[in-house]
Amino acid sequence: MANADTNPLEIAREALLRLATRRIPPTPANYRALYHEIAGTQDDGSDALPDAVLRSLVAALPRATPAQLRLARLLEDGVQKSGWNGLRDGLAQHARTLEDRAGWGNLISELLRLWELRQPGLTPARKREGLQRVLASQDDDTLYPRLQGLIKGWGDASAGLDSPDAMGDLAPANEAEAMPDAATTSRTGLTGSQFMGGFGSISQFFGGSAPDEDLEAFADLRELLATSLETALAPVVRDTAVAEQLDELAVAMRAAKSVKVLRTLTTKVKHLAFKMEILTGEQAEIRTELLRLFGLLVENVGELVLDDQWLHGQMEIVRDLVARPLDIRALEDAERRLKEVIFKQSQLKQSLQEAKEALKQMLAGFVDHLADFSESTSEYHDKLEAFAGKISSANSLAELGSVLDEVMRQTRVAQLNTQRTRDELHAARSRVEQAEAHIAQLQAELDRTSAMVRHDQLTGTLNRRGLDEALEKEMARSRRYRAPLCIGLLDVDNFKKLNDSLGHQAGDAALIHLTQVIRDGLRPQDSVARYGGEEFLLLLPNTTRHEAVQTVQRLQRELTRRFFLHNNQKLLITFSAGVTELNDRDNEETALARADAAMYEAKQTGKNRVIEG
Ligand SMILES: Nc1nc2c(ncn2[C@@H]2O[C@H](COP(=O)(O)OP(=O)(O)OP(=O)(O)O)[C@@H](O)[C@H]2O)c(=O)[nH]1
């Protein structure tokens, strides 16, 4: 049958037949020998492991990544040392690796699922640490199984088993080591296990879930509470004992190492809150009472200065201010105005005292001199009568001569007395004149100081001096609190015409009306200043440019509702305004210049409007 058949199928069938008929074990080698026998070919071993081909194949494999390198080495080893078996094992291991890779996706999604799952006893910090330990290992081949172990541990923990695997296979047995203070107490101030101790109550507090985020939120709240006690409440409590207790509580709260301690502190907070409620109530009563007293005082001062209209105007303003809801700026303003009233009153008292003194002296002097004069005059008259009697009864010239000498002497004395009285009356008059001059001088000084005080006497708004002070304060406040500050410069429209047609007094009344409307339309913290004759400046703290424009426009609308009444005639007063918001580089001049330019534009473009500068 040599070379009998060249059909490989037939040869194979015959080879199998011979294996069976000759009862030869069907090994590959026996099959190969029979095959060559039937085909009439030589078994030259060319179908053994194709070493050269495989080597060239392996040499061509990429080795860029550790995995590629590993595969290439595996195949090299298989080819060189272990033959088919080595190659088979290597390929099988590689196939497993590939299979593992296919499992990475699942593994990672499971990792993510468990990472986000809130698990009692397994804080994010703990999970993070376990994962870091697994990832820190340099051995790529063991990464997959180690990660699998870690995830399994997490899974078991969520199923209620407290698995040590939850920390990764390198997890320390000691939990304190696993959750060093630095990692878990930096924000919370408690170690993980301490937190776990109070976990139930905290999770209840947060609605039944048992989240670590809640623990962090709890720690944040604890810090917030401590800070509130220390920086927000303690400084405003007037009772020093309570303030000290608040400070102590804040310190204790931060140092608390367990939820149990915190709970005790919370009870103390409740007690203190109760005390403070009582204190606050008392303080509110005290404030109301003080305000009432202040009101009485203001009334009283008003009564004392009945004859000074200017002071009455000021007192009215102070009364208005305290009648509004209290606010720090309103109080500052009230204080300033009261100081002015007190100052002016003391000046008036002094000048009145001097005037009274001068008047008293003058009257006393007159009375004295008139008495002296009338006394000496009546004495002189009596003497003259006596001399007349002596003259009529005189019998000789010599006798007559001596009576005449006496008459002459008495007349000279009377003359001297009159002269002296006249001189003294002159002196008294000049003293009165001096006193009058002094009073006039005092009055002039008073007027000068009045001009120097911070409020405009006609309208009661701030004057330039008051404006400078207020603007400086508001600019500093705005920078300190990074709050917007706007100014608005207002100029009454066609005011000259009003003055010319109705008179200066009507003009004054119109200005008073205008400022009243403005003041009523602004917040207590806003200020109004008389910038010039019929120009006013508004200071609007905590106000953006947009809000400032709206505010000024609202004032314009209000003026169209509240007419100025002159002799029962309704007159519409309008103004043009420029509004600007102050920036960090502004000083008073630059800001005012912008507002002024904008106001000028408002005048130029039709009046009764607001322009932003
Ligand atoms: N009654 C009164 N008039 C004042 C006072 N201060 C300034 N004025 C007058 O206000 C007028 C301002 O006139 P102008 O500057 O021409 O301005 P205006 O007539 O309002 O014209 P526009 O500003 O262009 O609308 C002047 O007649 C001033 O005398 C004041 O305290 N009382």
Side-chain angles (χ1 to χ4, degrees), residues 458 491-497 499-500 503-505 507-508 511 530 533-534 603 607:
L458 176 71
D491 187 292
V492 183
D493 293 328
N494 310 315
F495 195 54
K496 187 170 182 322
K497 206 164 129 197
N499 260 335
D500 291 348
H504 202 81
Q505 268 192 336
D508 282 358
L511 291 181
R530 190 160 182 198
E534 82 294 13
K603 287 272 184 202
K607 302 188 181 177

Short mmCIF file of all heavy atoms in Angstrom, two decimals, residues 458 491-497 499-500 503-505 507-508 511 530 533-534 603 607, ligand 1:
data_model
loop_
_atom_site.label_atom_id
_atom_site.label_comp_id
_atom_site.label_asym_id
_atom_site.label_seq_id
_atom_site.Cartn_x
_atom_site.Cartn_y
_atom_site.Cartn_z
N LEU A 458 -31.69 125.14 58.25
CA LEU A 458 -32.99 125.27 57.61
C LEU A 458 -33.69 123.92 57.49
O LEU A 458 -34.85 123.76 57.87
CB LEU A 458 -32.83 125.89 56.21
CG LEU A 458 -34.11 126.00 55.41
CD1 LEU A 458 -35.02 127.06 55.99
CD2 LEU A 458 -33.83 126.30 53.94
N ASP A 491 -30.43 118.04 42.55
CA ASP A 491 -30.49 119.50 42.41
C ASP A 491 -31.92 119.86 42.01
O ASP A 491 -32.46 119.35 41.02
CB ASP A 491 -29.50 119.95 41.34
CG ASP A 491 -29.41 121.46 41.27
OD1 ASP A 491 -30.40 122.10 40.85
OD2 ASP A 491 -28.34 121.99 41.61
N VAL A 492 -32.53 120.75 42.82
CA VAL A 492 -33.94 121.12 42.56
C VAL A 492 -34.02 121.82 41.20
O VAL A 492 -33.19 122.65 40.86
CB VAL A 492 -34.45 122.05 43.67
CG1 VAL A 492 -35.92 122.37 43.47
CG2 VAL A 492 -34.24 121.43 45.03
N ASP A 493 -35.05 121.45 40.44
CA ASP A 493 -35.21 122.04 39.11
C ASP A 493 -35.91 123.40 39.19
O ASP A 493 -36.87 123.57 39.97
CB ASP A 493 -36.06 121.10 38.22
CG ASP A 493 -35.33 119.79 37.94
OD1 ASP A 493 -34.08 119.81 37.86
OD2 ASP A 493 -36.02 118.76 37.82
N ASN A 494 -35.41 124.33 38.40
CA ASN A 494 -36.02 125.67 38.24
C ASN A 494 -36.32 126.36 39.57
O ASN A 494 -37.39 126.95 39.75
CB ASN A 494 -37.32 125.56 37.42
CG ASN A 494 -37.11 124.76 36.16
OD1 ASN A 494 -36.10 124.97 35.46
ND2 ASN A 494 -37.99 123.83 35.87
N PHE A 495 -35.41 126.24 40.48
CA PHE A 495 -35.65 126.77 41.82
C PHE A 495 -35.61 128.30 41.84
O PHE A 495 -36.30 128.95 42.62
CB PHE A 495 -34.61 126.19 42.79
CG PHE A 495 -34.96 126.37 44.22
CD1 PHE A 495 -36.19 125.95 44.71
CD2 PHE A 495 -34.09 126.98 45.10
CE1 PHE A 495 -36.54 126.13 46.04
CE2 PHE A 495 -34.42 127.17 46.43
CZ PHE A 495 -35.65 126.73 46.90
N LYS A 496 -34.80 128.84 40.96
CA LYS A 496 -34.69 130.30 40.90
C LYS A 496 -36.06 130.90 40.56
O LYS A 496 -36.50 131.89 41.16
CB LYS A 496 -33.64 130.69 39.85
CG LYS A 496 -33.32 132.16 39.81
CD LYS A 496 -32.12 132.42 38.92
CE LYS A 496 -31.73 133.88 38.89
NZ LYS A 496 -32.79 134.84 38.90
N LYS A 497 -36.73 130.23 39.61
CA LYS A 497 -38.05 130.70 39.17
C LYS A 497 -39.03 130.71 40.35
O LYS A 497 -39.78 131.68 40.56
CB LYS A 497 -38.57 129.78 38.07
CG LYS A 497 -39.54 130.42 37.13
CD LYS A 497 -39.68 129.56 35.89
CE LYS A 497 -41.15 129.30 35.63
NZ LYS A 497 -41.36 128.19 34.71
N ASN A 499 -38.28 130.86 43.53
CA ASN A 499 -37.87 131.93 44.45
C ASN A 499 -38.34 133.29 43.96
O ASN A 499 -38.88 134.09 44.71
CB ASN A 499 -36.34 131.98 44.53
CG ASN A 499 -35.83 131.29 45.78
OD1 ASN A 499 -36.54 131.19 46.76
ND2 ASN A 499 -34.60 130.83 45.72
N ASP A 500 -38.08 133.49 42.66
CA ASP A 500 -38.40 134.80 42.08
C ASP A 500 -39.90 135.06 42.08
O ASP A 500 -40.36 136.17 42.34
CB ASP A 500 -37.86 134.90 40.64
CG ASP A 500 -36.33 134.94 40.64
OD1 ASP A 500 -35.76 135.13 41.75
OD2 ASP A 500 -35.72 134.77 39.57
N GLY A 503 -41.10 134.21 46.24
CA GLY A 503 -40.34 134.79 47.35
C GLY A 503 -39.42 133.77 48.01
O GLY A 503 -39.64 132.56 47.91
N HIS A 504 -38.40 134.32 48.68
CA HIS A 504 -37.36 133.48 49.28
C HIS A 504 -37.91 132.57 50.38
O HIS A 504 -37.49 131.42 50.50
CB HIS A 504 -36.28 134.41 49.85
CG HIS A 504 -34.96 133.73 50.01
ND1 HIS A 504 -34.09 133.56 48.95
CD2 HIS A 504 -34.38 133.19 51.09
CE1 HIS A 504 -33.02 132.93 49.39
NE2 HIS A 504 -33.16 132.70 50.70
N GLN A 505 -38.89 133.11 51.12
CA GLN A 505 -39.44 132.30 52.23
C GLN A 505 -40.16 131.06 51.71
O GLN A 505 -40.03 129.97 52.26
CB GLN A 505 -40.41 133.14 53.04
CG GLN A 505 -39.71 133.81 54.20
CD GLN A 505 -40.70 134.40 55.17
OE1 GLN A 505 -41.84 134.71 54.80
NE2 GLN A 505 -40.27 134.58 56.40
N GLY A 507 -39.41 129.65 48.96
CA GLY A 507 -38.31 128.79 48.51
C GLY A 507 -37.79 127.96 49.67
O GLY A 507 -37.60 126.74 49.55
N ASP A 508 -37.61 128.62 50.83
CA ASP A 508 -37.12 127.91 52.02
C ASP A 508 -38.10 126.80 52.41
O ASP A 508 -37.69 125.66 52.69
CB ASP A 508 -37.00 128.88 53.21
CG ASP A 508 -35.74 129.73 53.10
OD1 ASP A 508 -34.98 129.52 52.13
OD2 ASP A 508 -35.52 130.59 53.98
N LEU A 511 -37.81 123.87 50.22
CA LEU A 511 -36.65 123.02 50.52
C LEU A 511 -36.94 122.13 51.73
O LEU A 511 -36.57 120.96 51.74
CB LEU A 511 -35.41 123.89 50.81
CG LEU A 511 -34.83 124.64 49.60
CD1 LEU A 511 -33.60 125.43 50.02
CD2 LEU A 511 -34.48 123.69 48.46
N ARG A 530 -27.20 118.58 52.96
CA ARG A 530 -27.37 119.73 52.07
C ARG A 530 -26.00 120.03 51.51
O ARG A 530 -25.07 120.39 52.23
CB ARG A 530 -27.92 120.92 52.85
CG ARG A 530 -28.32 122.03 51.93
CD ARG A 530 -29.26 122.96 52.60
NE ARG A 530 -29.69 124.02 51.70
CZ ARG A 530 -30.23 125.13 52.12
NH1 ARG A 530 -30.43 125.32 53.41
NH2 ARG A 530 -30.60 126.07 51.25
N GLY A 533 -26.84 125.27 48.00
CA GLY A 533 -28.12 125.96 48.17
C GLY A 533 -29.31 125.04 47.99
O GLY A 533 -30.03 124.72 48.93
N GLU A 534 -29.53 124.59 46.75
CA GLU A 534 -30.68 123.73 46.49
C GLU A 534 -30.21 122.36 46.00
O GLU A 534 -30.90 121.66 45.28
CB GLU A 534 -31.65 124.42 45.52
CG GLU A 534 -31.38 124.34 44.06
CD GLU A 534 -30.11 125.05 43.58
OE1 GLU A 534 -29.26 125.43 44.41
OE2 GLU A 534 -29.96 125.17 42.36
N LYS A 603 -29.67 117.28 34.02
CA LYS A 603 -30.21 118.64 33.78
C LYS A 603 -30.25 118.92 32.29
O LYS A 603 -31.23 119.43 31.76
CB LYS A 603 -29.31 119.69 34.45
CG LYS A 603 -29.42 119.74 35.96
CD LYS A 603 -30.52 120.66 36.42
CE LYS A 603 -30.54 120.78 37.94
NZ LYS A 603 -31.79 121.21 38.47
N LYS A 607 -34.10 117.42 32.66
CA LYS A 607 -34.44 117.58 34.09
C LYS A 607 -35.43 116.52 34.59
O LYS A 607 -35.93 115.73 33.80
CB LYS A 607 -34.99 118.99 34.38
CG LYS A 607 -34.02 120.09 33.98
CD LYS A 607 -34.49 121.45 34.45
CE LYS A 607 -33.48 122.51 33.99
NZ LYS A 607 -33.87 123.87 34.34
N1 LIG B 1 -35.18 130.18 49.11
C1 LIG B 1 -33.95 129.76 48.99
N2 LIG B 1 -33.35 129.83 47.80
C2 LIG B 1 -32.10 129.36 47.70
C3 LIG B 1 -31.42 128.82 48.79
N3 LIG B 1 -30.19 128.43 48.36
C4 LIG B 1 -30.12 128.72 47.03
N4 LIG B 1 -31.27 129.28 46.62
C5 LIG B 1 -31.63 129.77 45.29
O1 LIG B 1 -31.72 128.70 44.40
C6 LIG B 1 -31.60 129.24 43.07
C7 LIG B 1 -30.77 128.32 42.22
O2 LIG B 1 -30.83 128.80 40.93
P1 LIG B 1 -30.08 128.16 39.73
O3 LIG B 1 -28.73 127.70 40.18
O4 LIG B 1 -30.14 129.07 38.59
O5 LIG B 1 -30.87 126.86 39.44
P2 LIG B 1 -32.37 126.60 39.02
O6 LIG B 1 -33.18 127.85 38.90
O7 LIG B 1 -32.90 125.61 39.98
O8 LIG B 1 -32.18 125.98 37.61
P3 LIG B 1 -31.80 124.50 37.23
O9 LIG B 1 -30.90 124.01 38.33
O10 LIG B 1 -31.11 124.57 35.93
O11 LIG B 1 -33.05 123.74 37.21
C8 LIG B 1 -30.96 130.60 43.24
O12 LIG B 1 -31.93 131.57 42.94
C9 LIG B 1 -30.58 130.65 44.70
O13 LIG B 1 -30.71 131.97 45.24
C10 LIG B 1 -32.09 128.79 50.04
O14 LIG B 1 -31.57 128.34 51.07
N5 LIG B 1 -33.35 129.25 50.09
#
